Amino acid sequence: QQQVKQSPQSLIVQKGGIPIINCAYENTAFDYFPWYQQFPGKGPALLIAIRPDVSEKKEGRFTISFNKSAKQFSLHIMDSQPGDSATYFCAASPNRDDKIIFGKGTRLHILP
Amino acid sequence: DGGITQSPKYLFRKEGQNVTLSCEQNLNHDAMYWYRQDPGQGLRLIYYSQIVNDFQKGDIAEGYSVSREKKESFPLTVTSAQKNPTAFYLCASSTTGNSYEQYFGPGTRLTVT
């Protein structure tokens, strides 16, 4: 119930393509869904976050889609670039003061 | 220049020794966290602290200990009881009411042989 399941584990996309990373959860108490981006040898950084009352959120080339009834959410990267190559983590939290649960990560590689 | 510092970046220890990893933040954040990262395992929470002099166990606290005597500092001790201590350790912090927005340090890679 506390897990966030993330897929795929790794993804290779040509430059300009649209990589899609999917996440699913069971706990309906989750109320915040952030995505983090991590470059090799660095700490993760918050990329974008969404709440269940919103079906889609965009920040630049990054878009989160949220399906509350299916308990699924996904990250799309438009016009992907080699500089987007990183590991992406989805996460979930039941409220603003609780710990967050991370998915296992997706290693994305954008080919030049 | 605000942020989180972790030192050292690489740490080598012999099996059976305790080792303490440093984490300092100057963001004035109340909450601090320690995670362990292993390949294919994502980020697993070891300990977290929402206020000075208080901390809670995360999902994998066995073999680890922490202290929170100052707001800025949250050191993690990896004890000899931790069976597989070799990993990448990440410290993070957040403001109260924004735990989903955590700021991470650069990490410490610990190798125990």
Side-chain angles (χ1 to χ4, degrees):
Chain A
Q1 265 245 323
Q2 281 291 90
Q3 283 186 329
V4 177
K5 294 182 179 179
Q6 183 171 350
S7 62
Q9 190 172 0
S10 63
L11 187 57
I12 300 174
V13 173
Q14 290 281 352
K15 177 185 172 183
I18 305 175
I20 301 172
I21 302 170
N22 299 299
C23 289
Y25 64 98
E26 289 295 327
N27 189 349
T28 54
F30 286 147
D31 204 35
Y32 289 85
F33 299 87
W35 285 86
Y36 283 78
Q37 178 189 54
Q38 183 182 29
F39 293 107
K42 307 290 186 184
L46 180 66
L47 190 62
I48 186 173
I50 197 169
R51 293 195 66 188
D53 52 352
V54 176
S55 61
E56 186 176 276
K57 183 174 181 180
K58 292 183 181 180
E59 283 199 11
R61 295 181 294 105
F62 299 90
T63 299
I64 303 177
S65 299
F66 196 93
N67 186 331
K68 188 174 179 179
S69 61
K71 289 184 281 187
Q72 295 175 347
F73 57 111
S74 59
L75 176 70
H76 297 61
I77 306 176
M78 310 303 287
D79 187 28
S80 58
Q81 302 296 314
D84 296 328
S85 297
T87 299
Y88 292 81
F89 295 96
C90 61
S93 175
N95 60 61
R96 297 174 72 96
D97 282 313
D98 210 332
K99 59 184 180 180
I100 59 178
I101 311 299
F102 285 90
K104 293 192 174 183
T106 296
R107 202 165 180 176
L108 174 65
H109 184 59
I110 307 297
L111 298 171
Chain B
D1 193 19
I4 299 181
T5 55
Q6 291 185 245
S7 60
K9 189 163 181 64
Y10 299 96
L11 193 52
F12 298 88
R13 281 293 182 268
K14 294 287 187 186
E15 195 173 315
Q17 294 178 335
N18 291 356
V19 58
T20 298
L21 280 57
S22 167
C23 178
E24 303 277 331
Q25 55 101 357
N26 61 4
L27 300 168
N28 200 32
H29 286 173
D30 287 306
M32 296 187 75
Y33 313 81
W34 273 105
Y35 293 91
R36 171 181 171 140
Q37 185 173 22
D38 297 283
Q41 292 296 316
L43 300 170
R44 294 184 291 171
L45 183 65
I46 304 173
Y47 269 98
Y48 64 108
S49 168
Q50 294 178 310
I51 197 167
V52 173
N53 292 323
D54 189 37
F55 48 83
Q56 289 79 40
K57 292 182 179 180
D59 301 316
I60 56 164
E62 186 176 346
Y64 299 98
S65 66
V66 294
S67 63
R68 186 89 188 275
E69 296 175 1
K70 297 187 300 182
K71 187 175 184 178
E72 313 82 58
S73 178
F74 192 39
L76 173 74
T77 297
V78 184
T79 75
S80 57
Q82 169 49 233
K83 295 196 181 341
N84 297 295
T86 294
F88 188 50
Y89 290 89
L90 287 158
C91 179
S93 70
S94 70
T95 57
T96 302
N98 285 297
S99 67
Y100 67 93
E101 185 175 358
Q102 294 183 13
Y103 292 80
F104 283 82
T108 292
R109 187 166 297 279
L110 173 65
T111 302
V112 177
T113 57

